[in-house]
Amino acid sequence: MTAVITGIGVCAPNGLGTEEFWKRTLDGTNAIGPIARFDASSYPVRLAGEISGFDPAAHLPGRLLPQTDRMTQFALTATDWAMEDAGAGAGTEGFDPFDRGVVTASSAGGFEFGQRELEALWSRGPEHVSVYQSFAWFYAVNTGQISIRRNMRGPTGVIVTEQAGGLDVLGQARRHVRRGTGMVVSGGMESPLSPWAVAAQIPSGRLSRRTDPDRAYQPFDERASGHVIGEGGAILIVEDADKARERGAAQVYGEIAGYCATFDPPQATGRGPRLEAAVSGALADAGIRADEVDVVFADAAGVPDLDRAEATALAAVFGPRGVPVTAPKTMTGRLSSGGAPLDVAAALLSIRDGIIPPTVNVTREAFRHELDLVREPRQGAVSTALIVARGYGGFNAALVVRSVA
Amino acid sequence: MSEFSIDDLKRILRKAAGEDETTSLDGDILDLSFQDLGYDSLARMEAVSLTEREYGISLSEEEMDAITTPGEFMAFVNGRISAAA
C-alpha cells in the first residue's frame, strides 16, 4: 500500500494559506520580527516568527472559540483548508468515520490558554478557572478537536517529540494507512508565544538573543547564535493511494516513500548522535540511493555544534556538497512540532513547481565544504526530497517524499 | 438580589461557550434542551460556574444534572437567589 499526501493546509508566519506561504517563501521574505503578542522588553529573547492577521472568528464557529487555544484555532482552520485542497469537502457525512484518523504532533500544548487560566486561579481563585482548561492546554487537543469537528473516528493519536514529532506523525499516519485506514489528517501546529511559553523555552540555551531579525537565526553560518521561535505549522492529508484515486482526490502531491526515527544516546556514553542513522535509515526504507535525492530540507538548528553535527551527517550520507540543502525555516523561525510539516509542505511544493526555496540570512557559510546550501531559489526538476528534523532531548527523524508517476 | 432572567442566561451561555450559527439562542428557547441547543455537559458546567460567581450562589453538580432546559435552569437559579435573600 502506498501512502500519499493529497491536501495541504498552512498557517505560517509568512503566509496564511498554502499559496501565500509558498509565494513569500520563494520571494525569501523574512517573517521574523519583534515579539508583538506581549511586551517582551524585559526578556532576553525579543524576536519571534509570529502570525499576524489571523481572525479565528472568521474561520471557526463561535462555539469553538471559548474552548480553544490559538494553536488549536490554527489547526482546525488549516485542516479545513487541507481537506478542501484534497477535494474532500467540508462535510462530516458521506464517508465511513472509522476509515478516517487523526495523528498530530505537539510540543508546547495550549500554553496561552493555560497561562490565562493559571492567572485566573492565582489572582481570583479556583472558581474562576474555565472548565475548558481540562483539555484546551493538552498535547492531544488538536487531534481531538479535529477528530470531533470532522467526524473522524478511526485511529487517532498525538506524538510529542518536539521538532521531530512533525515527521514522526507522518510515519505514524503511513502505518495507519498500511493497516487499512483510508485517510489520516496529520501534521502539527504550535503557538508557544505567550509570556510563560516564551519563558519556558529560554532555558534550553538554544535561543538567539540578538535583536536584528536578519541576524538572529543564521543556521550553518559562522555567526550562528541559536534559533528564533515561531508559531504555526501545516496540516497534511495522508491517504491510501488507491482509495484517494477511487475518491477522486483533487491531486497527489507525493508519496511518503521513506521514514526513520532514531534517538541519541546520553552524551556521557560518548557514542555520538544518531542523526546520520536516521537519514540513511529513511533512504533505506524508501529503497533509494543517496544520489536519487534532489534536495534536503535541513533541521538547521542554528546552534554551532548542532549545525556541525548535521553538516557532517549529510556530508557522510550524500558526499561533500553532494545534494542541495535548504532551510526555508530561516524565514519563520523554528515552529516546534509545526516546523517539519511546514518543511514537508515546502518539499511537496518544490516537487510540484520544480523549484527549491532559499535559505535566507546566511552570508558567511561555515560548512561550505560539506553543504551545497541553497541561498537563492533554484529551478530544476525535483522528484525526491528528504526532510530532517531534530527534537530537543535527542529525537531524530528523517522523511522521504517522492513524486508519484 | 435581582431576578435571573432569560436574557441573563443567554448572556452567560454566550460568554461560557459561544454561540453556534446552527443553533441560535434567539427566540423562545425556554423549553428546548441544552443538548438540542448544542450545549454539552462541559458548556453547562461553565455556565453554572459563571452563574455562581456572578450571583454569589452555589449549585451542586447533582442538582444541575437534573436540569435539562433553560426554563428549568432559570427557575432553579431564581429559587436559590430568593432563598438567599
Side-chain angles (χ1 to χ4, degrees):
Chain A
M1 282 196 189
T2 304
V4 294
I5 295 171
T6 56
I8 300 174
V10 169
C11 287
N14 56 351
L16 288 169
T18 302
E19 297 312 324
E20 186 179 62
F21 157 73
W22 187 231
K23 182 185 178 301
R24 293 201 185 142
T25 298
L26 293 177
D27 287 348
T29 309
N30 186 8
I32 291 169
I35 292 174
R37 198 140 182 87
F38 68 97
D39 176 9
S41 58
S42 65
Y43 278 57
V45 168
R46 306 279 182 80
L47 301 176
E50 279 179 283
I51 291 175
S52 59
F54 177 79
D55 175 15
H59 301 290
L60 298 171
R63 293 299 308 282
L64 281 170
L65 302 182
Q67 59 173 281
T68 45
D69 183 80
R70 186 168 160 87
M71 61 138 196
T72 304
Q73 294 166 0
F74 290 149
L76 289 169
T77 302
T79 299
D80 286 351
W81 291 341
M83 290 291 282
E84 190 181 330
D85 186 38
T92 55
E93 288 171 17
F95 58 89
D96 175 6
F98 295 95
D99 191 44
R100 294 185 174 183
V102 187
V103 182
T104 65
S106 181
S107 183
F111 240 113
E112 189 170 71
F113 197 104
Q115 170 165 3
R116 198 167 63 229
E117 299 311 320
L118 277 176
E119 285 170 356
L121 172 67
W122 292 112
S123 64
R124 293 188 285 163
E127 68 277 12
H128 289 265
V129 176
S130 164
V131 65
Y132 295 115
Q133 169 66 4
S134 58
F135 59 75
W137 71 274
F138 188 47
Y139 301 112
V141 71
N142 287 355
T143 287
Q145 290 282 21
I146 293 168
S147 165
I148 293 166
R149 181 161 153 81
R150 309 296 313 205
N151 191 26
M152 294 176 163
R153 301 168 183 229
T156 59
V158 60
I159 297 180
V160 184
T161 49
E162 214 260 323
Q163 192 91 16
L167 297 182
D168 291 330
V169 290
L170 292 167
Q172 180 71 353
R174 187 180 65 162
R175 271 184 215 113
H176 287 316
V177 164
R178 285 176 169 173
R179 288 171 188 156
T181 301
M183 175 188 289
V184 181
V185 174
S186 193
M189 281 289 172
E190 301 275 358
S191 182
L193 298 182
S194 75
W196 177 32
V198 173
Q201 292 167 91
I202 292 171
S204 76
R206 293 184 180 180
L207 272 58
S208 174
R209 299 185 173 212
R210 293 198 185 139
T211 54
D212 178 350
D214 293 332
R215 294 289 172 266
Y217 179 32
Q218 299 176 287
F220 307 120
D221 192 297
E222 291 171 0
R223 292 162 299 179
S225 62
H227 70 262
V228 171
I229 55 177
E231 64 181 345
I235 295 292
L236 303 166
I237 307 300
V238 180
E239 292 189 76
D240 173 67
D242 292 336
K243 289 187 183 175
R245 197 178 308 113
E246 285 166 26
R247 180 179 69 75
Q251 72 270 301
V252 172
Y253 286 104
E255 166 198 359
I256 299 176
Y259 162 72
C260 184
T262 61
F263 192 70
D264 291 339
Q267 272 197 329
T269 65
R271 295 206 304 269
R274 298 273 296 153
L275 180 63
E276 184 187 331
V279 172
S280 41
L283 297 182
D285 183 46
I288 59 172
R289 298 182 315 270
D291 63 10
E292 293 178 79
V293 174
D294 300 308
V295 60
V296 172
F297 286 74
D299 175 63
V303 175
D305 286 353
L306 293 169
D307 284 350
R308 176 169 300 284
E310 185 171 25
T312 303
L314 293 177
V317 174
F318 295 96
R321 297 183 65 86
V323 65
V325 175
T326 191
K329 62 176 62 124
T330 44
M331 297 171 229
T332 63
R334 287 171 68 85
L335 311 184
S336 303
S337 76
L342 195 61
D343 277 344
V344 173
L348 295 167
L349 295 165
S350 291
I351 291 171
R352 184 189 73 181
D353 295 346
I355 186 167
I356 299 171
T359 305
V360 303
N361 296 334
V362 174
T363 53
R364 288 192 220 157
E365 290 186 44
F367 305 100
R368 58 179 74 84
H369 300 298
E370 290 87 354
L371 300 182
D372 170 15
L373 196 64
V374 177
R375 287 164 52 188
E376 297 290 335
R378 195 180 292 183
Q379 306 264 1
V382 176
S383 66
T384 303
L386 176 90
I387 301 94
V388 179
R390 284 176 294 185
Y392 184 77
F395 305 101
N396 306 299
L399 188 90
V400 176
V401 291
R402 181 166 61 195
S403 63
V404 174
Chain B
M1 181 63 75
S2 60
E3 196 194 355
F4 185 75
S5 71
I6 185 67
D7 288 334
D8 291 323
L9 177 57
K10 287 179 180 177
R11 175 175 52 78
I12 278 173
L13 283 173
R14 286 194 178 100
K15 188 175 173 195
E19 189 173 1
D20 212 310
E21 302 83 11
T22 50
T23 52
S24 169
L25 291 176
D26 296 335
D28 186 8
I29 62 162
L30 280 181
D31 297 325
L32 297 175
S33 75
F34 285 112
Q35 201 69 44
D36 289 341
L37 286 166
Y39 292 93
D40 60 17
S41 59
L42 278 176
R44 293 205 293 277
M45 267 175 76
E46 184 71 358
V48 167
S49 173
L50 290 176
T51 308
E52 288 178 325
R53 269 142 54 184
E54 192 168 321
Y55 291 87
I57 56 175
S58 177
L59 310 167
S60 77
E61 261 181 63
E62 291 73 25
E63 289 166 330
M64 291 313 302
D65 277 350
I67 290 171
T68 58
T69 68
E72 291 168 9
F73 190 105
M74 276 174 58
F76 191 88
V77 171
N78 279 320
R80 199 47 68 87
I81 289 171
S82 52

